[in-house]
Amino acid sequence: MSFALLLAMPWMFLPAAAQTTSSDPHQWKMRVTDTPIHISEHVWMIKGNPNIAIVVGARSVLVVDTGLGPKMGAMAAGFAEKLAPGKKLFLTTTHFHPEHAAGDKDFPASTTLIRNDIQQMEVERYGMDMVKLFASRSADNRELLQGTTFRTPDVTFHNEAKLDLGGGVIVSLLWLGPAHTEGDELTFVEPDATLISGDVVQNDTMPTIYTALGKGGTPTTWLHVVDKIAERHPTHVVPDHSEPGDGTLVASEHKLIAEIRTRALALKAHGVSADEAGKQVSATLKQEHPDWHSTDASGVVRSVYQDPDTSAQ
């Protein structure tokens, strides 16, 4: 089947609204009957926790993230096969947390797995502990994570890897620095100017710097990563835990983190404790964004207080 015919298949353009009614993106569930959402010419998204991105080229297809555990990983691989039957399959993951990476073992054995080396270090050091932590949160998680193991990647890279999927579809896999985690990976689909942003750029969603296992970045390093993303001028953005949007999400992410940092530093300069500052900044954000699922900025505020790059400010 040609790619042109594949794009013409009518089931792929059915409305996606029926996939979820929850306002909490961490409650979105990927189902085998879901309808892929067409983001840009070569990029599709399966809505869930997280959103799964699929990039289709003339020869090969790339899946970004696996879903929570082997069952979800097999489902994501199935969507890729349906979108691009018979094509070579590549897989990469935005970071090491279980809903993003713990489904890799149930992708076909012929899949080429690519990760940046810092993320792979986090998988090796903290991956199974994170699986145990997530499994302890609910019976559903425990069931989905049964039998989880992590595959060894076929390819690792440090700053950037280029992937040619054929037909002019060039994908850049990028490690630009720590943000949500130390090993956050960004995927940029060059002919579409589409950014698959992981947890680094979201849509009306609070940033979180994860430090319970491993270490994340700081507000300063996160802003630095967003600045580097902006240099590529993305037109479309596919976040992991919120609705897709256009390139303005990058500037919005920068503005949100910068505003939290500025407010936190002002409170710190007046001797306000980190805990109290977190409450005050969160309350202000709640007033400004009453429709957001969460406006809890306490973790980012604590990071501002501890950030060595802002300690003298």
Side-chain angles (χ1 to χ4, degrees), residues 288-312:
E288 294 173 347
H289 308 288
D291 56 331
W292 287 17
H293 171 70
S294 172
T295 53
D296 182 3
S298 57
V300 181
V301 170
R302 282 194 299 272
S303 296
V304 172
Y305 271 57
Q306 298 164 3
D307 187 349
D309 291 322
T310 58
S311 60

Side-chain angles (χ1 to χ4, degrees), residues 21-39:
T21 57
S22 173
S23 63
D24 180 1
H26 290 88
Q27 299 301 316
W28 295 349
K29 302 295 184 184
M30 181 172 66
R31 303 168 304 186
V32 71
T33 56
D34 283 344
T35 300
I37 301 167
H38 196 191
I39 300 296

Side-chain angles (χ1 to χ4, degrees), residues 5-72:
L5 288 176
L6 190 65
L7 289 180
M9 293 174 69
W11 65 271
M12 292 182 184
F13 294 95
L14 294 174
Q19 291 180 315
T20 179
T21 57
S22 173
S23 63
D24 180 1
H26 290 88
Q27 299 301 316
W28 295 349
K29 302 295 184 184
M30 181 172 66
R31 303 168 304 186
V32 71
T33 56
D34 283 344
T35 300
I37 301 167
H38 196 191
I39 300 296
S40 60
E41 183 177 358
H42 303 98
V43 180
W44 305 81
M45 186 190 89
I46 312 300
K47 195 169 188 176
N49 177 32
N51 299 323
I52 304 293
I54 301 175
V55 187
V56 179
R59 295 189 307 271
S60 307
V61 56
L62 170 68
V63 177
V64 183
D65 282 348
T66 68
L68 186 67
K71 178 181 176 181
M72 291 295 174

Side-chain angles (χ1 to χ4, degrees), residues 100 108 162 201 233:
H100 302 273
K162 291 275 192 181
V201 176
H233 306 290

Side-chain angles (χ1 to χ4, degrees), residues 8 22 31 56 92 99 127 130-131 134-135 163 182 201 214 221 227 235 242 251 276 287 295 299:
S22 173
R31 303 168 304 186
V56 179
T92 197
E99 77 270 37
M130 282 292 294
V131 168
F134 270 59
L163 187 59
E182 191 174 8
V201 176
T221 62
D227 284 338
T235 301
S242 54
E276 178 59 26
Q287 291 179 338
T295 53

Side-chain angles (χ1 to χ4, degrees), residues 77 88-89 104-113 151-152 154:
K88 167 66 180 172
L89 181 58
D104 62 10
K105 89 177 190 69
D106 270 36
F107 273 69
S110 58
T111 303
T112 298
L113 174 61
R151 290 173 57 164
T152 299
D154 302 285

